[in-house]
Amino acid sequence: MPESTALPVPPAVAAVVTAPSGDEMCSYALDVWTDHPTVLTDEVALRALLRAAAAAGGAVVLGEAGHVFPNGAVTASLVLSQSHLAVHTWPEHRLANVDLLTCGVLEGEAIVAAVSAGLAASRTRLTRTMRPVHATD
């Protein structure tokens, strides 16, 4: 496993959040471009960043996994009691894709802000989609 590159752990992010109620889900797709691509190849640091971001949003981590590909790209994910948080990196493009699905009351905006800050984002694109739990007629 490659030696860990020290990343600053972002402080808790204070954000005005409209959290989903207990019977709503929200999906966040975050694309992050960084001028510091070494962060995108450090699995240990990325998993620590995901844990810190989850904590910033009030999530409970149940488990985690990660994998480093031959080119140094990383896939890492956390299983949350409220769903999941994952990152997939493309160091050759200076890009990380982050997926977060929240269930119940969870500060998803704080989580994605903490990940963005921890990756030293130079540019981001966020897609936020509310996902109904109950079938509609």
Side-chain angles (χ1 to χ4, degrees), residues 61-121:
V61 177
L62 301 177
E64 63 183 77
H67 178 76
V68 179
F69 294 90
N71 71 340
V74 174
T75 290
S77 62
L78 301 182
V79 176
L80 308 176
S81 66
Q82 302 91 341
S83 200
H84 69 268
L85 172 62
V87 63
H88 313 281
T89 71
W90 281 266
E92 65 274 20
H93 299 295
R94 299 175 178 251
L95 172 66
N97 298 122
V98 179
D99 296 306
L100 169 64
L101 179 63
T102 64
C103 297
V105 180
L106 188 68
E107 295 181 28
E109 303 289 333
I111 293 171
V112 295
V115 170
S116 182
L119 292 174

Side-chain angles (χ1 to χ4, degrees), residues 32-40 93-95 119-123:
V32 178
W33 288 267
T34 181
D35 291 333
H36 306 285
T38 57
V39 68
L40 303 176
H93 299 295
R94 299 175 178 251
L95 172 66
L119 292 174
S122 59
R123 182 168 60 107

Side-chain angles (χ1 to χ4, degrees), residues 32-55:
V32 178
W33 288 267
T34 181
D35 291 333
H36 306 285
T38 57
V39 68
L40 303 176
T41 59
D42 189 337
E43 179 197 6
V44 173
L46 285 167
R47 287 168 68 168
L49 172 60
L50 292 182
R51 287 191 302 273

